[in-house]
Amino acid sequence: VKIADPDWYEEQYEDLDWQPFHLAVKDRYKALVDEGRIDFVTFHQSFSYEEFVEGIRAIEESGSLSYRVEPGIFKKMCRKAENRSVGAVSAGIGDQARVWKISIDGTGHSQTRDYCLKNGEMRIGWGHVGDLSQDDRSDDEIQAFDSEGSNNQNTLMAFAEDAQVGDLVLCISSRTSVQAVGVIESDYSYVDSSEPCGEGYNHRRSVNWLVQDVDIPFMDLNGGKGFTLKTFYELWRLSPAKVLKRLEEDGHHIFEKEITYSASQEPVVLIIDEINRGNISKVFGELITLLEPSKRAGQSEELSVCLPYSQERLSVPDNLYIIGTMNTADRSLAMMDTALRRRFDFIEMMPDYRLLSETVVSGLNIGQMLEVMNRRIEFLYDREHMLGHAFFMPLNDATGDDERLEILASIFSNKIIPLLEEYF
């Protein structure tokens, strides 16, 4: 929370006592998670590169199985950080926005495309299949939809259901260049009359066209691939940040200030719990090089790597912060130390006795008791095996002394004593 919203943190830290401050931080954390500024993942022995960075997933579409590259949580967080660093959120672009290609009535001069760009819309044909959002379509419309074939059906369903408000859409002018770039602003709708748009163009969505009537090359950003004839599909090699950066490079300034990669612009935080339990080489792969501060996007030694599945070049934004947590008493971290020591700051988080300073059970101050126990454990064993305050936090929720005494007995019987037996 201190990283993602430092101003709020400092204000609360100065104005509140410790216990109310702790509760306020928990609430703010939940709010930042909802905003997409913080995300959380737990490593385990089976956690893989495909889950963390990207991998091929099987997708069922219209009864047939297809395969596509799906981003993992790290790549998603990189895109979130990129979007916030270039101000994409202020343009209505979503944190997890995808980029779509649309051909509105081919690539040459078109009355339909001119109408859509002028009126803030995008439309596709196949109006005879009826309203895709309704279950009560006529038998003729259902039959017409079924007769279109899987390719056209996938196009229709992608347009109506898969594309989301906040996604970017590129309206092409040729196989290699783009005529307009916009942000989807509404859900799918079916208009009864396609006039004056053109016969059959009944499937509609509202779009805020950021730029139009341009001719911007995009083939290099799309992995050297030209746009295909398919009317509407996802350009999974592109991210909103790359699209906006290309617009800036071409002289189309969407925002008041130029694109800049700066850690001060809305930091995004990824928390990796139990980071020592994953196979670091297996999970991070080639990204281990990009984690260093000097290798981040916009830094003096900026590096990018070509991802194996998507063939997309990825660099780690400067405003993406990674927090790994682990228990040093767990002896599964020897290899992790070697791999990540140079790339992470190691910050010791000792038991916080302040959280138990006012917790008293039958005249016994639990915070003082824990501190004395930990001094003995440190002397007899080592400081890495001291007991955490979390064991005793349930006592703060108890109402009466009898209930606290019962909870304390349970904590010692079921948690503390077995742990001490294991230690000694």
Side-chain angles (χ1 to χ4, degrees):
V1 172
K2 187 176 182 180
I3 292 171
D5 196 349
D7 293 338
W8 179 93
Y9 185 92
E10 293 300 330
E11 181 182 341
Q12 299 294 318
Y13 188 83
E14 293 175 358
D15 294 346
L16 293 176
D17 294 331
W18 182 249
Q19 287 282 15
F21 170 70
H22 179 65
L23 295 174
V25 168
K26 286 170 62 179
D27 290 339
R28 184 61 185 145
Y29 171 84
K30 291 176 182 176
L32 289 167
V33 170
D34 292 339
E35 290 176 23
R37 300 274 304 282
I38 299 176
D39 214 335
F40 184 97
V41 65
T42 301
F43 276 7
H44 51 80
Q45 285 85 346
S46 299
F47 201 80
S48 67
Y49 177 92
E50 286 75 16
E51 294 170 281
F52 192 61
V53 184
E54 67 173 15
I56 295 175
R57 299 283 189 273
I59 307 295
E60 185 180 355
E61 295 179 319
S62 303
S64 61
L65 205 61
S66 62
Y67 297 88
R68 69 182 182 195
V69 178
E70 286 288 315
I73 187 169
F74 183 81
K75 188 175 176 183
K76 288 179 180 178
M77 293 302 286
C78 283
R79 284 184 171 177
K80 284 184 182 181
E82 282 180 341
N83 290 346
R84 291 186 177 274
S85 69
V86 299
V89 176
S90 61
I93 301 171
D95 269 334
Q96 286 300 314
R98 298 153 77 180
V99 181
W100 302 85
K101 169 263 184 185
I102 188 169
S103 302
I104 303 179
D105 195 19
T107 57
H109 175 72
S110 165
Q111 178 183 346
T112 302
R113 192 180 324 116
D114 292 343
Y115 174 87
C116 287
L117 297 181
K118 181 179 179 180
N119 291 276
E121 296 182 0
M122 65 175 180
R123 295 202 190 193
I124 60 175
W126 300 287
H128 59 282
V129 304
D131 188 347
L132 298 172
S133 64
Q134 300 297 321
D135 294 329
D136 58 351
R137 284 182 290 162
S138 68
D139 293 339
D140 289 341
E141 289 173 334
I142 294 174
Q143 186 176 357
F145 177 76
D146 292 340
S147 66
E148 284 299 333
S150 61
N151 198 34
N152 291 347
Q153 290 177 18
N154 290 343
T155 296
L156 285 163
M157 299 315 296
F159 183 89
E161 296 184 358
D162 296 344
Q164 301 295 315
V165 173
D167 285 356
L168 270 183
V169 59
L170 308 185
C171 179
I172 69 166
S173 55
S174 72
R175 187 173 175 272
T176 61
S177 58
V178 168
Q179 181 177 352
V181 177
V183 183
I184 300 175
E185 289 192 315
S186 77
D187 291 330
Y188 163 83
S189 63
Y190 182 87
V191 290
D192 293 330
S193 174
S194 60
E195 296 297 333
C197 200
E199 185 177 354
Y201 284 86
N202 303 84
H203 305 286
R204 173 192 179 277
R205 298 190 76 155
S206 295
V207 176
N208 174 26
W209 295 108
L210 302 176
V211 297
Q212 50 182 294
D213 298 325
V214 296
D215 189 32
I216 304 174
F218 264 87
M219 187 169 166
D220 59 322
L221 295 185
N222 194 36
K225 309 285 186 182
F227 301 120
T228 67
L229 293 175
K230 192 174 179 181
T231 301
F232 188 83
Y233 62 91
E234 183 183 1
L235 297 168
W236 47 264
R237 294 184 181 89
L238 292 180
S239 67
K242 288 182 178 179
V243 174
L244 295 178
K245 190 173 182 181
R246 174 53 53 90
L247 295 182
E248 291 278 342
E249 292 170 349
D250 205 62
H252 304 283
H253 303 294
I254 309 302
F255 310 106
E256 294 180 3
K257 56 184 178 181
E258 293 183 359
I259 288 177
T260 175
Y261 290 93
S262 170
S264 65
Q265 292 184 340
E266 293 198 322
V268 173
V269 182
L270 173 61
I271 302 169
I272 304 173
D273 193 27
E274 303 283 4
I275 190 171
N276 55 307
R277 291 188 177 275
N279 184 328
I280 296 300
S281 298
K282 173 186 174 185
V283 174
F284 279 89
E286 68 276 6
L287 298 183
I288 197 73
T289 304
L290 305 185
L291 294 180
E292 298 178 43
S294 62
K295 304 295 193 299
R296 299 291 190 96
Q299 296 302 311
S300 57
E301 300 175 26
E302 175 184 347
L303 280 181
S304 64
V305 296
C306 183
L307 299 179
Y309 291 106
S310 64
Q311 296 299 300
E312 176 184 338
R313 297 208 68 84
L314 178 72
S315 58
V316 180
D318 199 32
N319 59 326
L320 173 62
Y321 291 77
I322 304 168
I323 299 175
T325 68
M326 62 183 182
N327 185 349
T328 52
D330 187 339
R331 285 294 141 199
S332 64
L333 55 83
M335 291 301 293
M336 200 274 329
D337 253 348
T338 306
L340 294 188
R341 174 65 68 176
R342 190 161 57 88
R343 294 169 174 87
F344 279 81
D345 294 332
F346 279 67
I347 302 171
E348 190 175 52
M349 304 294 289
M350 301 306 290
D352 193 342
Y353 305 116
R354 291 177 298 178
L355 292 170
L356 300 168
S357 61
E358 298 178 6
T359 306
V360 178
V361 179
S362 298
L364 175 67
N365 186 294
I366 301 301
Q368 293 177 8
M369 178 199 71
L370 180 60
E371 189 173 3
V372 171
M373 289 176 67
N374 278 335
R375 284 208 301 266
R376 294 292 293 161
I377 291 172
E378 182 180 3
F379 176 76
L380 294 169
Y381 198 173
D382 61 41
R383 67 198 317 268
E384 291 187 347
H385 287 78
M386 291 194 293
L387 302 175
H389 57 263
F391 284 117
F392 299 94
M393 290 301 287
L395 294 169
N396 289 335
D397 298 327
T399 53
D401 196 59
D402 290 342
E403 184 183 356
R404 289 194 189 93
L405 190 59
E406 185 178 340
I407 293 174
L408 183 61
S410 175
I411 291 171
F412 267 92
S413 176
N414 300 319
K415 296 180 180 180
I416 303 301
I417 291 175
L419 193 62
L420 294 178
E421 287 176 339
E422 183 181 326
Y423 285 174
F424 300 102

